[in-house]
Amino acid sequence: MNFSTSSIRSKIWLCVLIALIGFLVATMSSFYANIKQYQNLSQLQKEYYPLASLGLQLMNTLELQTEGYEDAFMIGEQSLAVEANEIKGKILALIDNILNFVRNSSSCPLREKDIMAIRQEYLTFATLAEKIYSHPGIENLSRDKQKEIRELGLMQGALMQGFKSISDQLDNSLIGQIEKTKKKSLSTMVLLGSLFITAFLLVGLIVDRVASRLLVTPLSRIRDNIKRFSLGQNTIQPPAIEDSDEIGHLAMAFWEMTEDLKITTVSKRYVDNIIRNMSGALIVLKPDMTIQTVSQQTVELFSYTEEELLGLHMDVLFSHGDDDEISADKIASIVVDGAVKTLEATCRTREGHVFPAHFSGSSMYNEAGELQGIICVFNDITELKNAEKKLTEMAHYDTLTGLANRNLFFQSLDHAILDAKRHNRILALLYLDLDKFKPINDRWSHDIGDLVLQEIGKRLEELTRADDTVARMGGDEFIVLLNSLNEAGDAERIAEKIIGKIAEPIQINKYSHILGVSVGISIFPANGDSMEDLIVQADMAMYQAKKNGGSCLFNAKNLNYS
């Protein structure tokens, strides 16, 4: 085949074929390397990741059992001791899982006799704990029982050290495997990188030779005409078109286009002067969405110089907010059917400052109906957005504490009830009324009282989860929405923590005071399945707690409706 006289399509396909062969070789090599890497990671995930988590689970489960015993001992609740005893089976199961892995693995750093020793130590600990906490309570402790408790504490510490040693060894084993995999990956990457570079250089050399001979030289004439046209000089008419050469057709078509532009293009100086002196951030775009003309207000709004903006793609001025009605990639499709006004957009300055803006735009067409450009106008609406945000905060948040107000709380409770019904979940309301708060206002002024309420709000938020809601209902009354509880009893445990936290001394400036809180609890669905029922039940329970002397909780399930 004589490439000098063949079609441009054949020449291009020859270059593409050479590039594809090089790409195929590099891709197959990369594919093989990725398969090996996948196999190594799969082995790591299957054998070592689950094992590494068992040590941490052992420590966490032992801590959970110990906390259960301590709560049972301090509160005197037999049920808590029974729950703690039931955790024994979980811990033994975890130890047995590790033991089975040690027996079946040749690379595990743990020894079977060490695991058996830890297992026996835990059985001894669990037996002593069941004996001590079979009758929980701190009253009338005998010396023998005190001695047993000290022994149990020492055993607990030793067990925790043993579990930690197991966890550390398992973690180190995982880290060792990861380091080994990393070294293999690094070696593979170096080899693969060398192969890619070699293939790239080889393909580049071949393509450069072919392209220089068959494409670059014929196209250089077109390039020279483009340069002359950009400088405002007359272009040179190409030689006669050869039927077999598309490059000749391209050269002639470009020359004819430049001749037509001499007739149809007029001076833009007058229009540019008008645009630069207009009010508002005005931008004229080319059909390819690059900036053609800007006003002085655009320069000031976006902190660019005019020279920096000209020729840039419109996308640099947008920050792409999730709620935007307009963005750079939407402008052409939105304005194609006519003018648009006051669509919201998120814009970005040269320094990276992001601000909201209203966008208006319209298209410009020539007599043939072809798109010549797009006129865009931007107006900064930062002050408007700040005002809207402040109004929203005033409508949904308590101005004193920053907590949710009644309106936002009712919305959250309504949504939580619907979600609980849909997923069969438990939720709870804690209705709180501060005890001993009135003397603060009477003795030290309402300003000090406001600071105390702010501190109470902070303490309540510290004791709740991110998906719970803490709201101020007014005065010294607060309400807490607890979502997705595991059981109804969790509400009382959280309420007890709140009572303890509120009872801690509050130091405001030079004043110190100790408050109490009465807490009423209602549970969904046990005490009602509507928002009104749950609030009324929690309110009634709170007043019953007040009657009982305050600084305590009362569950709506214990209300005597007679």
Side-chain angles (χ1 to χ4, degrees), residues 251-317:
M252 181 59 70
F254 179 77
W255 178 78
E256 292 175 351
M257 179 191 71
T258 60
E259 293 299 309
D260 291 340
L261 286 174
K262 293 179 183 178
I263 302 174
T264 59
T265 301
V266 296
S267 173
K268 305 190 301 297
R269 182 177 301 173
Y270 180 72
V271 176
D272 289 345
N273 288 333
I274 295 175
I275 291 175
R276 289 190 179 93
N277 291 280
M278 288 182 61
S279 62
L282 185 141
I283 300 174
V284 179
L285 302 178
K286 296 179 182 179
D288 62 357
M289 304 305 297
T290 57
I291 298 174
Q292 181 178 6
T293 309
V294 297
S295 67
Q296 182 60 34
Q297 287 72 19
T298 305
V299 172
E300 296 173 358
L301 181 61
F302 290 95
S303 301
Y304 285 90
T305 65
E306 182 176 353
E307 291 74 17
E308 289 173 334
L309 285 172
L310 298 182
L312 289 179
H313 193 276
M314 188 63 176
D315 189 63
V316 302
L317 303 182

Side-chain angles (χ1 to χ4, degrees), residues 483-524:
N483 284 303
S484 303
L485 296 177
N486 294 324
E487 58 181 22
D490 292 342
E492 292 190 4
R493 286 189 281 274
I494 294 174
E496 290 171 351
K497 292 182 179 179
I498 290 175
I499 292 172
K501 188 68 175 179
I502 299 300
E504 294 178 1
I506 295 179
Q507 185 72 36
I508 302 295
N509 298 332
K510 62 182 179 178
Y511 305 107
S512 179
H513 192 73
I514 296 178
L515 293 174
V517 62
S518 298
V519 183
I521 303 174
S522 63
I523 305 294
F524 172 91

Side-chain angles (χ1 to χ4, degrees), residues 117-405:
I118 286 290
R119 191 179 192 279
Q120 185 59 45
E121 288 178 14
Y122 174 72
L123 287 174
T124 305
F125 166 80
T127 301
L128 183 57
E130 290 174 0
K131 174 184 175 183
I132 292 175
Y133 297 117
S134 59
H135 300 288
I138 62 175
E139 300 86 0
N140 301 321
L141 289 177
S142 65
R143 291 187 175 179
D144 290 340
K145 192 165 186 178
Q146 292 178 12
K147 181 178 179 181
E148 290 176 343
I149 292 174
R150 286 195 297 271
E151 292 178 358
L152 185 66
L154 294 175
M155 293 176 65
Q156 175 191 338
L159 270 177
M160 188 60 71
Q161 288 296 325
F163 286 176
K164 185 177 185 303
S165 175
I166 291 175
S167 178
D168 291 343
Q169 291 185 61
L170 294 177
D171 288 344
N172 292 335
S173 177
L174 174 61
I175 292 172
Q177 291 297 323
I178 292 175
E179 290 298 327
K180 185 183 298 182
T181 304
K182 285 170 60 178
K183 291 180 180 178
K184 292 182 179 178
S185 300
L186 181 60
S187 300
T188 303
M189 288 173 60
V190 171
L191 178 61
L192 190 60
S194 302
L195 179 61
F196 264 99
I197 293 174
T198 303
F200 177 78
L201 293 176
L202 182 60
V203 170
L205 180 62
I206 297 174
V207 170
D208 179 69
R209 287 286 189 139
V210 175
S212 296
R213 177 186 174 191
L214 304 181
L215 297 175
V216 176
T217 300
L219 288 173
S220 62
R221 297 188 184 93
I222 300 177
R223 181 199 60 196
D224 293 339
N225 264 346
I226 292 174
K227 184 176 181 180
R228 295 176 66 86
F229 177 72
S230 66
L231 296 175
Q233 302 173 355
N234 292 328
T235 54
I236 300 174
Q237 182 176 359
I241 299 175
E242 299 180 9
D243 294 338
S244 60
D245 188 1
E246 291 88 344
I247 294 181
H249 290 278
L250 178 63
M252 181 59 70
F254 179 77
W255 178 78
E256 292 175 351
M257 179 191 71
T258 60
E259 293 299 309
D260 291 340
L261 286 174
K262 293 179 183 178
I263 302 174
T264 59
T265 301
V266 296
S267 173
K268 305 190 301 297
R269 182 177 301 173
Y270 180 72
V271 176
D272 289 345
N273 288 333
I274 295 175
I275 291 175
R276 289 190 179 93
N277 291 280
M278 288 182 61
S279 62
L282 185 141
I283 300 174
V284 179
L285 302 178
K286 296 179 182 179
D288 62 357
M289 304 305 297
T290 57
I291 298 174
Q292 181 178 6
T293 309
V294 297
S295 67
Q296 182 60 34
Q297 287 72 19
T298 305
V299 172
E300 296 173 358
L301 181 61
F302 290 95
S303 301
Y304 285 90
T305 65
E306 182 176 353
E307 291 74 17
E308 289 173 334
L309 285 172
L310 298 182
L312 289 179
H313 193 276
M314 188 63 176
D315 189 63
V316 302
L317 303 182
F318 286 92
S319 186
H320 308 295
D322 295 336
D323 300 327
D324 288 354
E325 298 174 320
I326 186 69
S327 59
D329 56 345
K330 296 179 182 177
I331 289 178
S333 61
I334 289 178
V335 304
V336 68
D337 296 326
V340 295
K341 296 181 179 179
T342 61
L343 297 180
E344 286 197 10
T346 304
C347 298
R348 181 177 62 242
T349 67
R350 188 177 187 274
E351 292 79 13
H353 171 66
V354 176
F355 66 93
H358 273 157
F359 167 86
S360 299
S362 61
S363 303
M364 297 186 298
Y365 296 91
N366 59 19
E367 295 179 355
E370 299 171 341
L371 181 65
Q372 282 190 315
I374 301 173
I375 301 176
C376 307
V377 178
F378 291 88
N379 291 296
D380 187 354
I381 57 171
T382 300
E383 293 184 1
L384 176 62
K385 285 294 185 180
N386 290 339
E388 291 177 353
K389 181 179 179 182
K390 189 165 186 65
L391 288 174
T392 301
E393 291 178 351
M394 292 173 62
H396 292 93
Y397 292 92
D398 178 52
T399 56
L400 176 62
T401 62
L403 301 175
N405 62 13

